[in-house]
Amino acid sequence: SGRMRIRLLSHPATLAPVHKAFEAFAEKAGFDSSDRGEIILVVNEALANVMRHAYSGATDKPIEVSAEETADAIRIEIRDWGNGRSPEPRHKHDPEKPGGLGMVCLKQFMTQVTYQPEPDGMTLTLIRNNREKP
């Protein structure tokens, strides 16, 4: 079907299986190789940010990732039960310093990026239109 849900722990080793699942899902949804690479990069970056920032590096916390194919897009939700702080950077990105590109990457490659604070964490919604579909 045009839906997928993955529950994982906040451990970096869980990223590879998620990568494979999104590769297959986005291909089935009709995204070309270049678009799939961008979607996978964004999901990987978003998950790494949850692990690093929402969970402060803890490797045993829950994350739920769901994806849904619509007529001309893919909608991805990443739910965490972390600290609930806004992921928006407090400072403008400094190219001289490492890091800080997560939000830049998300906003560059996705059609829409929204964060919904939850009473016990955060839900990130990513929407990517499919240029291949009319």
Side-chain angles (χ1 to χ4, degrees):
S1 76
R3 293 177 188 254
M4 171 178 72
R5 182 175 306 262
I6 302 171
R7 290 179 177 90
L8 59 135
L9 292 178
S10 57
H11 193 288
T14 62
L15 294 176
V18 173
H19 177 123
K20 288 187 170 111
F22 267 91
E23 171 73 27
F25 188 84
E27 182 174 22
K28 188 170 173 271
F31 286 88
D32 69 23
S33 176
S34 173
D35 289 344
R36 288 194 310 269
E38 291 173 357
I39 291 167
I40 290 163
L41 176 67
V42 164
V43 170
N44 192 68
E45 184 63 33
L47 289 172
N49 282 346
V50 167
M51 293 174 190
R52 185 178 310 117
H53 300 296
Y55 289 137
S56 301
T59 58
D60 61 346
K61 302 297 181 189
I63 303 172
E64 188 171 284
V65 183
S66 60
E68 178 182 12
E69 177 187 354
T70 65
D72 59 354
I74 187 172
R75 176 188 172 96
I76 301 161
E77 287 189 356
I78 299 175
R79 171 70 158 99
D80 70 65
W81 288 264
N83 59 32
R85 285 198 293 265
S86 171
E88 290 291 339
R90 292 182 213 35
H91 309 288
K92 187 170 173 20
H93 174 67
D94 180 353
E96 300 293 316
K97 294 183 180 173
L101 285 173
M103 291 301 296
V104 173
C105 171
L106 268 63
K107 290 178 178 179
Q108 180 175 343
F109 292 138
M110 301 308 280
T111 308
Q112 185 177 337
V113 177
T114 56
Y115 287 91
Q116 176 63 47
E118 306 288 352
D120 56 355
M122 186 75 69
T123 299
L124 165 63
T125 302
L126 304 163
I127 297 174
R128 172 66 183 258
N129 292 343
N130 190 344
R131 295 182 294 237
E132 300 300 306
K133 293 191 176 180

